[in-house]
Amino acid sequence: MVAEGRQRIDKWLFFSRAVKSRSLAAKLVVAGRVRINRDKAAQASDLVKPGDVLTITLDRRIFVWKVLGAGVRRGPAEEARTLYEDMSPPPAPRADALPDAIPALREAGSGRPTKKERRQTNRLLDED
């Protein structure tokens, strides 16, 4: 019997739209990528309750969510966001361009570089 306000972690992850299906949620938990209050969730049947803090590792991102309530269904995204409070640290800024990048050797929009231009660019890079 499930205690009041508690829910299986795989169902909760599915209802909160962290994953696309319950089977993916179960695989995520079994793989050790979900922590409940800093303890690894061992099974998909582990229970979460309001107030628990989940640490979820998806691809190269880490989410820290505080559970605010149990889900009833997998509804729209607005409804799913009411199930948790996002406590994740802000993502690290991505460097779009290297600070000491070599400036372009040709005019922007002048087309694809020729083989000769590519060789010259490679030689410049190799000299550094």
Side-chain angles (χ1 to χ4, degrees), residues 18-101:
V19 291
K20 290 185 177 185
S21 68
R22 272 187 68 187
S23 60
L24 287 176
K27 288 178 184 176
L28 193 70
V29 172
V30 171
R33 296 182 176 268
V34 178
R35 292 178 176 263
I36 304 171
N37 298 326
R38 296 187 178 179
D39 298 324
K40 277 189 182 178
Q43 313 172 33
S45 62
D46 287 350
L47 300 176
V48 292
K49 64 183 181 309
D52 284 346
V53 176
L54 302 179
T55 307
I56 307 162
T57 306
L58 293 174
D59 296 325
R60 295 181 180 164
R61 298 181 64 192
I62 297 175
F63 298 102
V64 180
W65 289 352
K66 182 176 181 180
V67 178
L68 298 179
V72 179
R73 66 184 184 119
R74 182 177 168 91
E78 295 82 26
E79 184 180 320
R81 277 189 231 114
T82 63
L83 298 178
Y84 62 88
E85 175 188 345
D86 192 0
M87 299 169 39
S88 303
R94 296 183 71 184
D96 291 333
L98 298 173
D100 54 341

